[in-house]
Amino acid sequence: MKHGGDLLSYQHKFEGQIIDFSSNINPLGYPSGLKQVIIDNFDKLIEYPDINYRSLKKIVAAYLGCDDDNVIVGNGAVDIIDNISGGFDRIVVPVPCFGEYIDRPKLHNKQVIMLPMLEDFIIDVIKIEQTLISGDLLILGNPNNPTGKRIDKEVLIALHSLVIERCAFLLIDEAFFEFCKFDYDSIELFRHSEAVCIIRAATKFFALPGIRLGYGFTSKTMTIKYNKKAIPWNINTFADTAAANILRDNEFISRSKEYIRKQRSFMMTELKKIKEIHSYDTHCNFILIKLLKGSEEDIFEFLLSKGIMIRKASSFEMLDTSYIRIAIKSENENMKLIGCLEEYFLKEF
Amino acid sequence: MKHGGDLLSYQHKFEGQIIDFSSNINPLGYPSGLKQVIIDNFDKLIEYPDINYRSLKKIVAAYLGCDDDNVIVGNGAVDIIDNISGGFDRIVVPVPCFGEYIDRPKLHNKQVIMLPMLEDFIIDVIKIEQTLISGDLLILGNPNNPTGKRIDKEVLIALHSLVIERCAFLLIDEAFFEFCKFDYDSIELFRHSEAVCIIRAATKFFALPGIRLGYGFTSKTMTIKYNKKAIPWNINTFADTAAANILRDNEFISRSKEYIRKQRSFMMTELKKIKEIHSYDTHCNFILIKLLKGSEEDIFEFLLSKGIMIRKASSFEMLDTSYIRIAIKSENENMKLIGCLEEYFLKEF
């Protein structure tokens, strides 16, 4: 499994509804007003979306706190990763990371240099310093998938300075930004930078992986390049329409943050009681787990037999079969997973 | 205006609803059952679409009359054009044609060789013979936009043979296929070819430019390459869901074909009465017009003042400011356009 969420490939192994802990989606679902907005605007489908997405960019700009012409939009975050990374010859990326930081540039015949993280999945800044040269693209997940770690403000500022010094470019993927405790806003930090692009998306926090809405902040120079590169009408009308509803739903946003905060705390406390695993501290709505006994395949199959799908993590660069990744879901689902994990380790070892 | 349908840029020039003759969408709108299907399946949004689009490909295969693993899918036809053309170093294309056959390859730093069509916009087969070499991609619009001409079966077969002989590849864009009188089916003709990709789409005939659903037929070898190249989850859940409804709506399909046939006949008869223009015979739901007096800009502004938007055609390679393109729309709208054209030529000349 290269990505989470591939329920269809495993459904035959369990009778009934599988609980999907493999994809990291807000357990509260999408904002409740969305359905009516889509129904009310259904007939917009018979027209092309605005090829310049003027209204969408205005709404995203207000949400991100930047100018309209600093906003880029994509068919999901991966479209933005693809369009930006395709413009550089050499990509530098700390691993483990989201697989598409590696796969998309490779598809465009670019060189990808992977720098293993240090213990506890800390970015190896010295290694980046030794590696980064003029014209490179440095890609950072912030927070990073699958490790769940947000980059310290000082470290990010230092890396940005290094990027400027080396005449390189920095792509920061913040698809999970809203799940984190607010510490700093990278858009605020790098508002005037010519060398940064910051990706966010509706996919995870607004629980809309199906709608395909990614967006980002970058310099006005880069938005012009990006708009040429992106295919015309890359955002569908529903995604275009949805933004005005979801990005302004402050009640949903604060309720989701609070819910995840509580459940994350509950999950970490419970997981730390299981001595056969090491659960890495996370800023996110997902948790990377090191299995001290057994392998991803065993536990995957056991949990599947219980109607739970987790993410085997060996498909991430640098991780072996002793890692799994789980999402933080609803209270009941989380309790069910904890119960099943306890049962697994009691039974198997 | 590089593409039709950009109403937003011109709305300030007319108070009221502008009738859009610039984009070539089925005037009957989308199949009537679609809205309920989307509402019923709304919650699929919170899951990722199937990354392999297994169900979608099965439905498309049944519609196209081919195997599931001959089907490719894209975020609109332009996504397929982009993914396929990006794999070739040199693109050969008769002009005038849909601008993206030229723009997308150029963006990927490919060489694009444009071969002007002969009188009455007939493809210059001899010129193609003289030009095409091993490894080239030949792109043909069938029917072609903006000329409205479908390629004769014998010519297409001959061009396909030439492509095979030269070890090249043939991309046939049939986004307007269903609007034409049925004469032959290129998928049937080239079912066993290793050197062809045929694009169709929901955009035009099913009046769904906003849903972003393109699909095509190609060899099993090429589908594997294509699936690697395409970004993951390039089709949104609504488009994925819609296919089962729209592609099986035979009543809509036959009613639309009949409607367009009648209105095309009416429009051609009326347009041929206007002696200040030459209207090219069309197999499509749009008509290319040569202005024998005046220019695209004049007539565009006049019609806009009447609440009608047409397509200025000088943005198409090889056409100058004496061409416009109009869509075939509903009976009332078509009559209004004819009336306004008559008024324009009476008044201006």
Side-chain angles (χ1 to χ4, degrees), chain B residues 155-222:
Chain B
V155 174
L156 193 62
I157 291 173
L159 284 170
H160 176 258
S161 300
L162 177 71
V163 161
I164 299 281
E165 185 194 307
R166 299 284 162 89
C167 298
F169 196 87
L170 177 59
L171 178 62
I172 312 175
D173 179 1
E174 299 197 341
F176 295 94
F177 173 72
E178 290 93 337
F179 291 111
C180 302
K181 186 180 153 194
F182 184 80
D183 43 3
Y184 65 89
D185 179 349
S186 51
I187 295 176
E188 191 60 46
L189 291 182
F190 305 128
R191 183 176 300 286
H192 303 293
S193 175
E194 281 292 318
V196 77
C197 172
I198 297 157
I199 300 177
R200 302 216 180 136
T203 308
K204 308 292 185 180
F205 189 72
F206 294 99
L208 292 169
I211 214 164
R212 311 312 301 139
L213 177 59
Y215 40 82
F217 162 91
T218 190
S219 70
K220 289 167 195 183
T221 320
M222 185 53 106

Side-chain angles (χ1 to χ4, degrees), chain A residues 74-82 173 175 199-201 203 212-214:
Chain A
N75 186 29
V78 69
D79 189 24
I80 303 182
I81 295 167
D82 188 63
D173 179 2
I199 300 177
R200 303 217 179 135
T203 308
R212 313 311 300 141
L213 177 59

Side-chain angles (χ1 to χ4, degrees), chain A residues 3-9 17 23 25 29-30 34-35 38-39 42-52 54 75 78-79 82 98 100 104 107-108 203-204 207-212 228-238, chain B residues 3-9 17 23 25 29-30 34-35 38-39 42-52 54 75 78-79 82 98 100 104 107-108 203-204 207-212 228-238:
Chain A
H3 287 288
D6 189 13
L7 281 175
L8 211 58
S9 293
Q17 180 95 39
S23 66
I25 302 303
Y30 52 80
L34 179 63
K35 189 168 178 176
I38 297 289
I39 293 170
F42 200 83
D43 281 353
K44 284 191 183 169
L45 274 187
I46 62 169
E47 284 166 23
Y48 277 90
D50 172 17
I51 200 163
N52 297 309
R54 283 162 278 202
N75 186 29
V78 69
D79 189 24
D82 188 63
F98 181 51
E100 301 298 336
R104 297 312 305 176
L107 263 163
H108 299 297
T203 308
K204 309 291 185 179
L208 293 169
I211 213 163
R212 313 311 300 141
K228 274 192 193 163
K229 191 91 187 291
I231 62 168
W233 314 292
N234 59 339
I235 312 294
N236 71 81
T237 295
F238 291 124
Chain B
H3 288 287
D6 189 13
L7 282 175
L8 211 58
S9 293
Q17 180 95 37
S23 65
I25 302 303
Y30 53 80
L34 179 64
K35 189 169 177 176
I38 296 289
I39 293 170
F42 199 83
D43 281 353
K44 285 191 182 168
L45 274 187
I46 61 169
E47 285 165 22
Y48 277 90
D50 172 16
I51 200 162
N52 297 308
R54 282 161 278 202
N75 186 28
V78 69
D79 189 25
D82 188 64
F98 180 51
E100 301 297 337
R104 297 312 305 176
L107 263 164
H108 299 299
T203 308
K204 308 292 185 180
L208 292 169
I211 214 164
R212 311 312 301 139
K228 273 192 193 164
K229 191 90 187 290
I231 60 167
W233 314 291
N234 59 338
I235 313 293
N236 71 82
T237 296
F238 292 124

